[in-house]
Amino acid sequence: MSLTDLLCPSDIAAALRDCQAPDSFSPKKFFQISGMSKKSSSQLKEIFRILDNDQSGFIEEDELKYFLQRFECGARVLTTSETKTFLAAADHDGDGKIGVEGIDYFNCR
């Protein structure tokens, strides 16, 4: 399964266009534009599984840096500041990685 099986390709493209400039990435806005904020919990878990590149059950800081590239190969890498802000917001237990419990953060309405 791929992200385009769960999200509309034109919505993904619009979300990526919105954050092309360095330090312009807002997770909540990205989730809204891409359509992630409208997905069910089970759909979000599948999206999380796809974004978890090494299938460890967690999205670590190194994976998070390449978050946008999981949506489109040519997308930019998140800046250090964007990565740290994103991680801090979704890392509920402070262990430096996002577990499936952080999926609620992906469902920002």
Side-chain angles (χ1 to χ4, degrees):
M1 183 171 282
S2 72
L3 288 169
T4 55
D5 292 329
L6 296 161
L7 301 169
C8 176
S10 63
D11 291 343
I12 291 172
L16 290 169
R17 272 192 311 275
D18 184 69
C19 62
Q20 283 181 331
D23 292 317
S24 65
F25 177 73
S26 163
K28 289 182 181 187
K29 191 172 181 184
F30 185 88
F31 300 150
Q32 290 169 345
I33 295 170
S34 70
M36 287 173 66
S37 63
K38 298 175 187 167
K39 297 300 174 187
S40 69
S41 183
S42 64
Q43 290 170 315
L44 287 172
K45 285 179 183 176
E46 184 61 26
I47 291 169
F48 183 90
R49 188 191 66 70
I50 294 167
L51 294 173
D52 178 13
N53 196 41
D54 64 3
Q55 299 301 296
S56 66
F58 299 96
I59 299 175
E60 294 89 1
E61 187 171 346
D62 213 33
E63 288 173 299
L64 204 53
K65 183 175 18 174
Y66 300 101
F67 178 81
L68 297 177
Q69 291 182 356
R70 301 294 291 155
F71 291 87
E72 182 181 279
C73 289
R76 72 178 181 87
V77 174
L78 293 179
T79 66
T80 300
S81 174
E82 289 170 322
T83 303
K84 291 193 180 301
T85 300
F86 191 174
L87 182 62
D91 176 13
H92 295 302
D93 61 7
D95 65 355
K97 52 191 174 186
I98 302 169
V100 76
E101 78 280 350
I103 203 72
D104 292 335
Y105 183 72
F106 287 25
N107 197 10
C108 303
R109 296 196 195 282

